[in-house]
């Protein structure tokens, strides 16, 4: 965070800040609570990443068996999370100046992608806004996997304080680099929360902790709900079916051989000298070899396992409200109406996510306004973020709607926002260009009116009246 104002330690800062001992007492008393929350989120993240922590396997499972199990863990939940997050993209804000000074100046078009993914996957994420150099504002996302925020009241907009873990430095989990934020100052230190070392402090003079929680659901009683956690059990069934399919393809897709009677040659330790495989040949030795009988079992039906796998994917689709054709491997010819019907639950789900997530982004932008000294805007609860419309619409339909809305006096800034693929900057440029064009036309009309008024009135015979 090199863009932040330089850390300083003077009398003014010391008056409003905590020393290392006081900070250690505060954070040390919450250390168990922090670890419990981070462990809960890490458990969800492991499943999203497709990592199976513990699973049953038969005693004496060989390396081939373990390899098949490892390959069966496909990260379908990660794909589902991204499919939802890709429908969430903020591309505008009510105040154009703040949009440029805060959002675009901090590259939030790109940074929001990770925030939206985490909000969908883990249920929440965090963001901070602090004074930067030369009167600017620094906005940075903070992962919920490394952030702990303490709220005095569940309905508060801002936490009392927040702790952010940046990177692991030593062998111990708690031996890291840390940032701490409260109502008056922000701190940087190393070591553990209970024993801060190399403490540096800087005032931000905001009067509140400049950390914002962005939530997937707004509920004061419980932690924000993940949109992906409900899909963990269906995903595990997909893993089971995928592993079963791999086993069947490896061991059951070809006829298994059998032999009755006779003896198989063994080595000195009594182990069979051949191992049944696709291209192996069974041979019965000894005196009873002449009476041995050979045969093969029927090959396994792979199609039945594939049907079960597709059924498990359909369950995951229904639970997460994601169109089933997003998960299916086969391309199915569908009409436009059919696709719209399949995707309607998906877009309803997105609208719910936007309703909750908008509040966090709006508060984050208002916090940035407070940092920039725009107090009226910081207190304005009517500001809104604008979401990019991801629905598929033809350009002809959009243009027709824009022309009709223009006839009733709708402003250009709203009409241009309907054009598919246009960013907020495109809308601002087009609006400014349209305003310049309209101003030029008005000036031309005014000049023409002035010239007409200056011309002497003519009589019927072509003569002019003297003034």
């Amino acid at each position: 965070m090199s863009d932040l104002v330089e850390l300083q330690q003077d009398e003014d800062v010391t008056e409003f800040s905590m020393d290392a001992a006081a900070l250690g007492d505060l954070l040390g008393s919450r250390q168990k609570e922090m670890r419990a929350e981070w462990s809960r989120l890490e458990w969800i993240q492991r499943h999203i990443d497709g990592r199976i922590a513990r699973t049953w396997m038969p005693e004496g499972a060989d390396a081939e068996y373990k390899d098949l199990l490892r390959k069966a863990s496909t990260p379908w939940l990660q794909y589902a999370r991204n499919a939802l997050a890709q429908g969430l993209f903020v591309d505008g804000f009510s105040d154009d100046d703040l949009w440029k000074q805060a959002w675009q100046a901090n590259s939030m078009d790109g940074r929001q992608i990770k925030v939206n993914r985490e909000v969908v996957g883990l249920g929440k994420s965090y963001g901070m806004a602090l004074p930067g150099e030369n009167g600017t504002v620094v906005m940075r996302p903070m992962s919920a996997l490394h952030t702990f925020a303490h709220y005095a009241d569940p309905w508060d907009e801002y936490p009392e304080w927040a702790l952010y873990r940046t990177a692991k430095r030593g062998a111990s989990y708690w031996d890291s680099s840390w940032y701490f934020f409260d109502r008056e100052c922000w701190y940087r230190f190393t070591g553990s929360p209970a024993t801060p070392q190399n403490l540096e402090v800087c005032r931000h003079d905001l009067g509140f902790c400049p950390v914002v929680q962005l939530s997937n659901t707004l509920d004061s009683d419980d932690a924000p709900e993940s949109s992906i956690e409900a899909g963990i059990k269906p995903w595990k069934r997909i893993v089971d079916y995928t592993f079963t399919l791999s086993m069947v393809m490896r061991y059951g897709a070809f006829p298994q051989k059998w032999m009755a009677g006779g003896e198989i040659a063994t080595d000195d330790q009594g182990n069979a000298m051949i191992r049944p495989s696709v291209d192996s040949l069974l041979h019965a030795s000894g005196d009873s070899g002449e009476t041995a009988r050979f045969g093969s079992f029927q090959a396994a039906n792979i199609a039945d396992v594939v049907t079960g796998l597709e059924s498990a994917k359909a369950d995951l689709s229904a639970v997460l409200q994601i169109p089933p054709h997003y998960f299916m491997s086969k391309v199915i010819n569908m009409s436009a109406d059919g696709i719209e019907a399949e995707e309607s639950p998906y877009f309803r789900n997105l609208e719910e996510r936007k309703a909750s997530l908008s509040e966090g982004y709006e508060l984050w932008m208002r916090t940035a306004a407070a940092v920039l000294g725009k107090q009226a805007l910081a207190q304005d609860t009517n500001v809104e973020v604008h979401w990019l419309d991801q629905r598929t619409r033809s350009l002809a339909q959009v243009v027709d709607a824009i022309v009709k809305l223009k006839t009733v006096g709708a402003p250009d800034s709203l009409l241009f926002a309907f054009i598919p693929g246009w960013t907020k900057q495109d809308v601002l440029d087009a609006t400014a260009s349209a305003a310049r064009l309209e101003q030029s036309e008005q000036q031309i009309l005014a000049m023409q009116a002035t010239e007409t008024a200056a011309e002497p009135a003519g009589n019927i015979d072509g003569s002019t009246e003297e003034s």
Side-chain angles (χ1 to χ4, degrees):
M1 299 186 186
S2 58
D3 295 334
L4 294 174
V5 293
E6 291 295 327
L7 291 169
Q8 52 188 350
Q9 184 76 44
D10 53 31
E11 294 180 358
D12 184 48
V13 173
T14 305
E15 180 182 354
F16 295 95
S17 65
M18 292 183 287
D19 58 17
L23 185 60
D25 291 340
L26 174 64
L27 298 180
S29 64
R30 298 281 181 172
Q31 204 160 306
K32 183 180 294 185
E33 187 178 348
M34 295 177 202
R35 195 67 184 96
E37 176 64 8
W38 287 338
S39 296
R40 181 185 70 86
L41 297 176
E42 287 170 357
W43 179 82
I44 299 175
Q45 187 64 46
R46 281 199 304 270
H47 289 87
I48 291 176
D49 295 339
R51 291 177 289 158
I52 301 178
R54 295 180 180 178
T55 186
W56 179 90
M57 63 177 58
E59 186 177 350
D62 57 13
E64 186 177 25
Y65 185 99
K66 295 177 181 179
D67 181 62
L68 290 178
L69 180 61
R70 183 174 62 253
K71 293 176 181 177
S73 181
T74 308
W76 281 104
L77 292 179
Q78 186 180 96
Y79 171 79
R81 180 203 63 186
N82 294 349
L84 287 172
Q86 286 164 2
L88 303 171
F89 191 86
V90 176
D91 73 335
F93 185 67
S94 301
D95 188 90
D96 294 337
D97 290 336
L98 185 61
W99 174 260
K100 294 178 181 178
Q101 296 174 18
W103 188 273
Q104 290 189 326
N106 286 280
S107 304
M108 286 301 299
D109 282 338
R111 296 182 191 275
Q112 68 168 313
I113 295 175
K114 183 177 181 180
V115 174
N116 296 337
R117 286 182 176 181
E118 191 167 81
V119 169
V120 170
L122 301 181
K124 62 181 178 179
S125 188
Y126 294 91
M128 71 84 174
L130 283 174
E133 295 179 346
N134 302 320
T136 60
V137 58
V138 177
M139 300 174 65
R140 292 293 184 270
M142 302 194 308
S143 172
L145 293 168
H146 305 289
T147 305
F148 183 85
H150 172 71
Y151 288 82
D153 193 289
W155 291 276
D156 288 344
E157 287 187 328
Y158 297 100
E160 273 197 333
W161 54 265
L163 179 68
Y164 177 64
R165 177 174 176 264
T166 59
K168 190 172 182 179
R169 300 188 325 125
S172 171
Y173 177 87
W174 296 104
D175 184 15
S176 302
S177 299
W178 306 84
Y179 284 88
F180 178 81
F181 309 87
D182 64 14
R183 296 174 181 269
E184 301 292 341
C185 305
W186 62 278
Y187 307 68
R188 184 168 60 195
F189 63 92
T190 58
S192 71
T195 56
Q197 301 172 12
N198 306 314
L199 183 65
E200 300 173 280
V201 188
C202 183
R203 285 193 67 186
H204 53 67
D205 294 323
L206 294 174
F208 58 87
C209 179
V211 173
V212 174
Q213 178 176 283
L214 300 102
S215 303
N216 192 44
T217 56
L218 296 179
D219 192 338
S220 61
D221 297 329
D222 301 309
E225 296 179 4
S226 163
S227 291
I228 303 300
E229 187 176 2
I232 290 178
K233 289 184 179 180
W235 170 73
K236 288 184 176 180
R237 291 199 295 271
I238 292 177
V239 173
D240 289 341
Y241 274 114
T242 304
F243 175 68
T244 301
L245 180 61
S246 299
M247 291 288 288
V248 169
M249 293 174 62
R250 182 70 61 90
Y251 301 110
F254 56 89
Q256 295 291 316
K257 306 178 181 93
W258 58 265
M259 180 182 75
E263 298 176 355
I264 297 178
T266 59
D267 56 17
D268 296 339
Q269 287 76 32
N271 299 319
M273 297 182 64
I274 64 170
R275 181 186 178 192
S277 61
V278 177
D279 56 353
S280 65
L281 177 66
L282 292 179
H283 172 70
S285 61
D287 298 336
S288 59
E290 297 180 358
T291 60
R293 294 177 293 113
F294 298 90
S296 61
F297 295 107
Q298 185 177 357
N301 190 340
I302 297 179
D304 291 341
V305 184
V306 173
T307 301
L309 176 60
E310 296 299 323
S311 176
K313 290 181 183 179
D315 289 346
L316 183 63
S317 168
V319 169
L320 299 184
Q321 287 186 283
I322 295 178
H325 57 272
Y326 285 18
F327 291 99
M328 299 303 176
S329 56
K330 296 180 180 179
V331 178
I332 303 173
N333 293 327
M334 300 177 63
S335 64
D337 292 339
I339 294 177
E340 184 176 359
E342 290 277 5
E343 293 186 343
S344 59
Y346 170 76
F347 284 106
R348 289 197 300 270
N349 191 4
L350 288 184
E351 292 305 317
E352 285 190 13
R353 306 285 71 75
K354 292 177 183 178
S356 299
L357 192 49
S358 291
E359 301 300 326
Y361 275 123
E362 290 160 11
L363 181 59
W364 199 357
M365 292 294 284
R366 288 167 49 203
T367 304
V371 172
L372 293 172
K374 301 176 181 288
Q375 296 302 325
L377 186 57
Q379 301 298 325
D380 188 0
T381 56
N382 292 322
V383 294
E384 292 184 350
V385 294
H386 180 265
W387 296 92
L388 181 66
D389 188 1
Q390 304 281 29
R391 294 178 185 269
T392 302
R393 294 187 177 92
S394 68
L395 185 59
Q397 291 176 322
V398 174
V399 171
D400 182 62
I402 290 176
V403 172
K404 291 178 179 178
L405 291 173
K406 182 65 176 177
T407 59
V408 296
D412 293 336
S413 58
L414 293 179
L415 297 179
F416 289 142
F418 293 145
I419 299 179
W422 275 29
T423 64
K424 177 65 174 180
Q425 189 60 47
D426 295 331
V427 173
L428 293 176
D429 293 341
T431 302
S433 178
R436 289 193 298 267
L437 179 60
E438 184 177 357
Q439 185 178 7
S440 299
E441 291 177 348
Q442 290 176 353
Q443 291 176 349
I444 293 173
L445 292 175
M447 292 174 59
Q448 292 175 345
T450 303
E451 293 174 355
T452 301
E455 293 179 356
N459 295 324
I460 298 177
D461 59 359
S463 62
T464 60
E465 295 181 354
E466 294 183 358
S467 57

